[in-house]
Amino acid sequence: MYMRMTWVFILSMSSILDMTGCLPDKHFLSWLKPNPINILTLNAPPYFDSDLPQKMVTNLGDTAFLKCKVINLRNRMVSWLKTDPLQIISSGLYTFIKDPRYSSEYMEEENTWVLRITKVEYEDSGMFDCQVNTDPLMTYTVSLKVVKKDYRQFLNDAPQYAAEPSVKILGGYEHLVKAGSVLNLTCVVTTPTSYNQMTRWLHNDRIVTPKTGVSLLSENTPHTSVSCLIIHRVQHRDAGSYVCAAGDMGHDMVVVGIIEEATLVKSFLIYDMLIPFIVLLSISSLIIVLGIIRSVARNIEEADSCSRRKPEV
């Protein structure tokens, strides 16, 4: 049987030989030719197809389809995550999230991984990452914004987050701190895009740097940065203006005043003594009133006893 197949193959190949006995290159089967491109394709690492849309706008209550196409995936795993707040949705076709509206699907004909969200709500808006478990991780980000049907025509080019950039020092404009206590200034920077700039603190137009007694702490999320300036033992030289500068995002300023401990003690003493004085005055007034009532009652009682004795005489 193998001999017959071999002869059939030889005869089919000989039918396209030219007069010199050579096989023209244009008739040579592509899979028989050494092709370095094909070899590189087989060994190439996975990569994402960037032709799929990365910004999705879906009507409230409709079904959203977030797509991610990976070339040369082979035996690696595709996972879906929501970035803010961080939440693992699925790995492969297994869904971790408890919300039954979420499901992970694979379209074999299109070689595409799909995250399906039925009956979308406003809270479903956000950034979703399609990850491949390579080293380092490969990420393809798809954003989803849920809108009302009437507003869809106005949001074709709308940003995915409507919040305006803001820089805010918590606690109001003026901070009064007792000398020797701890001063804690917290600055919150909110931005619709990823924030990668450094937040700086300035005291009376001079940059604040960490040193003994002064600490700078920071915590960053994709759209929020929190910076804390802590002075562990406040002195008079720490009074003045403090500015939280966040680069292109803007800045915010507060004024710190230092209060003498003696002034605070005096004010507390006045306040603490006022209440007991009022209580004492009220009790004294009550005692005086009760004494007057008792004296009047005694006089009336004596008058009655005298009037009863006169007829007997």
Side-chain angles (χ1 to χ4, degrees), residues 177-195:
V177 186
K178 183 177 68 174
S181 63
V182 177
L183 172 64
N184 187 346
L185 298 178
T186 302
C187 179
V188 180
V189 181
T190 304
T191 172
T193 58
S194 180
Y195 182 79

Side-chain angles (χ1 to χ4, degrees), residues 300-312:
I300 294 173
E301 187 177 341
E302 290 179 354
D304 290 342
S305 63
C306 291
S307 62
R308 291 175 182 176
R309 289 175 184 176
K310 286 182 180 180
E312 296 178 358

Side-chain angles (χ1 to χ4, degrees), residues 140-306:
Y140 185 80
T141 303
V142 183
S143 64
L144 173 64
K145 187 165 188 178
V146 180
V147 299
K148 289 184 178 180
K149 293 183 179 180
D150 296 340
Y151 298 158
R152 187 186 180 98
Q153 56 181 329
F154 303 106
L155 297 174
N156 292 333
D157 299 323
Q160 296 304 307
Y161 289 87
E164 293 293 332
S166 65
V167 181
K168 182 66 176 178
I169 300 178
L170 304 181
Y173 177 73
E174 187 175 6
H175 293 247
L176 298 178
V177 186
K178 183 177 68 174
S181 63
V182 177
L183 172 64
N184 187 346
L185 298 178
T186 302
C187 179
V188 180
V189 181
T190 304
T191 172
T193 58
S194 180
Y195 182 79
N196 54 7
Q197 301 184 28
M198 180 180 296
T199 302
R200 296 184 179 274
W201 286 94
L202 291 86
H203 175 218
N204 295 333
D205 298 330
R206 294 184 178 180
I207 297 178
V208 179
T209 56
K211 57 183 179 181
T212 303
V214 178
S215 302
L216 291 175
L217 306 176
S218 63
E219 182 178 357
N220 297 323
T221 61
H223 304 286
T224 304
S225 175
V226 179
S227 178
C228 296
L229 168 61
I230 302 175
I231 301 178
H232 299 276
R233 188 175 180 82
V234 175
Q235 301 180 18
H236 289 283
R237 65 170 179 265
D238 298 319
S241 63
Y242 286 83
V243 176
C244 174
D248 300 336
M249 299 295 104
H251 67 276
D252 192 20
M253 184 182 74
V254 297
V255 176
V256 174
I258 308 300
I259 302 176
E260 287 287 350
E261 187 173 0
T263 304
L264 288 174
V265 171
K266 184 178 180 180
S267 62
F268 285 137
L269 286 176
I270 294 174
Y271 179 77
D272 291 341
M273 291 176 62
L274 182 61
I275 294 178
F277 177 75
I278 294 175
V279 173
L280 181 60
L281 182 61
S282 301
I283 294 174
S284 301
S285 301
L286 182 60
I287 293 173
I288 293 172
V289 171
L290 291 175
I292 294 172
I293 294 173
R294 185 176 180 182
S295 177
V296 172
R298 182 181 299 173
N299 293 335
I300 294 173
E301 187 177 341
E302 290 179 354
D304 290 342
S305 63
C306 291

